[in-house]
Amino acid sequence: MFEIILFSAVAGIIGMGLGGLITASLLKRPSENVVCWLLSFAAGVMVSIVCFGLVPETLDLASPAVCILGLIAGILVIMVLNRIVDRVTETKDEKLQVHHTHEELYHESQMINNPARMLRSGVLMLLAIALHNVPEGIAIGAGGSYDFRLGVLLTILIAVHNIPEGMAIAAPLLVGGVGRFKVVALTALAGATTLVGGIIGIAIGNISDFAIALSLSAAGGAMLYIVFGEIIPQSVIMTRNRTAPIVTLFGIIVGMIATQI
């Protein structure tokens, strides 16, 4: 179980910390296409893991009703957490119901020349995304306790997903006057909640087959929402062409192969 706990730490702390380090070092993001292709590929692999990994394993442990219940629960949890992120990062004059641009995706409409306001926004984003990372850790803990290989795949994908989130947190903190070293440390700290989620996932997985099935399907629902509610729509907006969906399809094929090895 120590390896699973370590995996959750890697996905959260290193993924978020690396994103903070990139922003702190370059003070700008890589090209939108690179970020888009990376996330789109990860999204495709996530879909395969859910469809060919999490769901079949859930059905081996429990009934289809339990699988459906878990999927719905996972979707609802991420919807609520995403709503919290939007609420705590919007200003009085902004309602980020839909992300129409890359800048809105990262809440950059708040990147104005007001260090105090940027610091507040950065701290709020830090807390909101830290909360958002807990279900991701649960997915790693529950999945890894049931299938070690599945835990490894989830770790890699969640770590990749966390990099741009770490970058998004770091930008307003830097504008707000926080030192580069502290920015990297704070973004890594925000990822530490994934470790907490990993421990919870392991504990749930050790209760019963029903608990494992419910947690695996909930993790699947959360991943599906992230893919279809966030990554794919925003990838299309960022590239303004069909490249992102094609890369996602390639990721699905790679993920299908990975789940069968």
Side-chain angles (χ1 to χ4, degrees):
M1 293 304 175
F2 174 77
E3 291 86 355
I4 306 302
I5 296 176
L6 180 62
F7 288 161
S8 61
V10 168
I13 297 174
I14 294 183
M16 295 284 292
L18 182 58
L21 179 62
I22 292 172
T23 298
S25 300
L26 304 178
L27 205 58
K28 62 180 181 179
R29 296 187 180 88
S31 71
E32 291 185 357
N33 284 339
V34 171
V35 174
C36 167
W37 295 337
L38 183 63
L39 289 178
S40 296
F41 178 79
V45 179
M46 283 185 183
V47 171
S48 282
I49 288 179
V50 173
C51 294
F52 304 108
L54 294 177
V55 169
E57 289 172 355
T58 298
L59 294 175
D60 286 341
L61 295 169
S63 66
V66 173
C67 181
I68 293 173
L69 177 63
L71 289 170
I72 294 174
I75 292 171
L76 291 177
V77 167
I78 298 301
M79 286 179 64
V80 171
L81 292 179
N82 279 355
R83 183 58 181 161
I84 292 173
V85 171
D86 281 345
R87 277 187 174 276
V88 300
T89 56
E90 67 187 12
T91 65
K92 293 181 179 180
D93 300 325
E94 295 174 327
K95 298 294 181 183
L96 301 182
Q97 300 293 338
V98 178
H99 301 306
H100 296 289
T101 65
H102 179 218
E103 287 73 21
E104 287 183 0
L105 169 62
Y106 288 101
H107 305 282
E108 283 190 359
S109 54
Q110 298 181 36
M111 296 301 168
I112 58 177
N113 295 321
N114 188 330
R117 191 176 184 183
M118 288 303 92
L119 179 60
R120 176 180 177 276
S121 295
V123 171
L124 289 174
M125 288 180 67
L126 184 77
L127 295 175
I129 292 179
L131 179 62
H132 184 281
N133 285 337
V134 174
E136 296 178 350
I138 293 176
I140 295 174
S145 62
Y146 179 73
D147 185 339
F148 184 81
R149 181 189 59 186
L150 179 60
V152 174
L153 287 174
L154 290 172
T155 298
I156 295 172
L157 291 174
I158 290 174
V160 171
H161 171 70
N162 282 341
I163 291 174
E165 290 187 349
M167 294 167 65
I169 292 175
L173 292 177
L174 285 169
V175 175
V178 180
R180 295 178 186 271
F181 178 79
K182 287 185 178 180
V183 165
V184 176
L186 286 172
T187 52
L189 183 61
T193 53
T194 308
L195 176 61
V196 175
I199 295 173
I200 294 174
I202 292 173
I204 293 174
N206 288 330
I207 295 175
S208 65
D209 287 348
F210 173 83
I212 295 177
L214 192 61
S215 57
L216 288 177
S217 56
M223 292 169 67
L224 289 177
Y225 180 86
I226 291 172
V227 169
F228 294 102
E230 292 289 331
I231 296 179
I232 292 180
Q234 298 305 333
S235 294
V236 173
I237 290 173
M238 289 163 66
T239 58
R240 299 175 178 86
N241 56 47
R242 294 186 177 88
T243 304
I246 293 174
V247 174
T248 300
L249 291 174
F250 181 70
I252 291 175
I253 295 172
V254 172
M256 185 186 304
I257 296 172
T259 56
Q260 301 304 315
I261 294 177

